Amino acid sequence: MGTQMRKGIILAGGSGTRLYPITLALSKQLMPVFDKPMIYYPLCTLMQAGISDILLITTPNDMSKFQQLLGDGSNLGIKLSYIAQVKPEGLAQALIIADEYLDGHPCALILGDNLFYGSELTRDLKDAVGKRQGATIFAYQVQSPGRYGVVEFNEGGKAISIEEKPDNPKSNFAVTGLYFYDKHASKYAKKITPSKRNELEITDLNKIYLENNNLSVKCLHTGATWLDTGTPDSMMQAAQFVQVLERRQGIRISCPEVVAFQNGWISTDQLEKLAEPLNKSGYGKYLLRLSRGGH
């Protein structure tokens, strides 16, 4: 059934004011995080979840640059669409903007500056994709939860409250920028009223699911890593994380070409074709090695 297929949304809008002056000329999601553009990381997370129909929401100004980088996705065996967010008015706005695109499908929404990595991650993602009813969000233990949406659990490990950027967080568990919703998300998002910050908060959408007893909050495994890259410090940390991991293990993470190949969406020949124009870079050489049966 067509309606069963989950669509993906990457929210890569906003003006990146916390990164000024770096972002005055270029979207933060096009900035490098070590050896690849930031947008590759969330794109690969959705692809790892098995999602191949993806909408990228960005600013009218940046859209052509994303299209230049990613195209229509056909070279990766996926379908990429684009839509402009004229004025950023909160994360939940993404689901209103995407309403027509979603057309009654369940979806996964990921923030364009979030990086996820871990050996159990694909399993967690596939579990969330498999759930037809309600919403699934991920929590991650952090040192300063007050910067995020914070989820509170009862003794049985069930989520009982979510607060947006609280002064006195009730736990150290932050809600990450990855959300799986059933087909009702756009309808619920339209009911939300703007917060004090004059934004449609994703926390308010998650609260609707929580109140309906239809919200599943999964804690990311301790071996998993979640980084958001909205400040110069966090961008540097993310780049160093990727560099150390890739150098130590001789692998490259979050390469869309590799995920497409592993998912069987492109052939060995297609992977080689994608690698050839990049073969002067370490990235291209890595893709070539994989296409020739290396690791």
Side-chain angles (χ1 to χ4, degrees):
M1 278 266 296
T3 50
Q4 294 302 302
M5 195 190 71
R6 195 176 289 266
K7 292 186 173 186
I9 304 166
I10 304 176
L11 183 54
S15 46
T17 45
R18 288 187 299 161
L19 284 164
Y20 275 3
I22 310 172
T23 44
L24 285 169
L26 187 67
S27 161
K28 78 172 169 185
Q29 289 88 0
L30 290 166
M31 298 279 164
V33 174
F34 187 48
D35 57 351
K36 58 192 80 74
M38 191 187 286
I39 194 72
Y40 275 26
Y41 298 92
L43 174 62
C44 284
T45 301
L46 292 182
M47 290 170 68
Q48 273 178 276
I51 295 168
S52 59
D53 188 340
I54 296 166
L55 175 70
L56 198 137
I57 299 176
T58 185
T59 65
N61 215 14
D62 294 314
M63 195 188 287
S64 62
K65 299 186 191 93
F66 282 103
Q67 287 168 322
Q68 187 186 340
L69 175 68
L70 301 169
D72 64 0
S74 56
N75 60 335
L76 298 169
I78 66 175
K79 183 183 168 206
L80 283 175
S81 312
Y82 299 85
I83 197 164
Q85 181 185 37
V86 180
K87 188 170 174 245
E89 292 175 330
L91 305 185
Q93 188 192 24
L95 291 146
I96 300 171
I97 293 170
D99 188 17
E100 204 174 306
Y101 160 80
L102 290 174
D103 191 27
H105 287 72
C107 68
L109 168 66
I110 190 166
L111 305 187
D113 62 356
N114 273 223
L115 184 160
F116 292 86
Y117 180 77
S119 54
E120 308 287 335
L121 184 64
T122 303
R123 197 186 69 192
D124 284 344
L125 296 173
K126 295 266 168 77
D127 285 351
V129 163
K131 272 195 73 188
R132 290 282 156 240
Q133 299 296 318
T136 302
I137 61 174
F138 292 93
Y140 190 80
Q141 199 158 351
V142 294
Q143 254 185 322
S144 44
R147 290 173 45 209
Y148 306 99
V150 174
V151 61
E152 176 194 9
F153 298 97
N154 66 13
E155 285 166 11
K158 189 172 159 54
I160 50 172
S161 79
I162 304 178
E163 291 179 288
E164 184 60 29
K165 297 185 173 60
D167 292 330
N168 300 301
K170 290 179 180 168
S171 83
N172 283 339
F173 283 95
V175 176
T176 71
L178 174 61
Y179 317 88
F180 289 81
Y181 295 115
D182 62 17
K183 63 182 183 183
H184 301 300
S186 296
K187 180 179 76 185
Y188 292 158
K190 287 174 185 171
K191 294 179 178 170
I192 295 169
T193 50
S195 65
K196 285 180 198 148
R197 303 190 297 164
N198 210 24
E199 290 195 357
L200 300 175
E201 305 286 359
I202 200 83
T203 293
D204 289 336
L205 176 61
N206 294 333
K207 275 183 182 169
I208 294 174
Y209 281 97
L210 182 67
E211 281 154 19
N212 292 344
N213 206 20
N214 225 345
L215 180 73
S216 168
V217 184
K218 291 188 75 163
C219 293
L220 282 171
H221 282 84
T222 43
T225 299
W226 166 59
L227 300 164
D228 70 319
T229 50
T231 65
D233 276 345
S234 57
M235 264 183 89
M236 180 65 100
Q237 283 166 359
Q240 287 170 333
F241 169 78
V242 175
Q243 182 195 29
V244 168
L245 189 74
E246 294 189 345
R247 288 287 172 270
R248 289 280 302 249
Q249 301 189 5
I251 56 161
R252 286 186 186 245
I253 67 166
S254 299
C255 309
E257 301 89 347
V258 175
V259 183
F261 178 61
Q262 288 168 340
N263 285 354
W265 296 344
I266 60 171
S267 66
T268 308
D269 287 352
Q270 285 169 300
L271 179 61
E272 194 156 340
K273 274 202 191 85
L274 291 173
E276 273 161 7
L278 309 172
N279 72 358
K280 284 210 165 70
S281 71
Y283 188 96
K285 289 187 176 83
Y286 178 70
L287 297 185
L288 271 176
R289 201 164 80 229
L290 280 185
S291 72
R292 291 166 186 168
H295 290 286

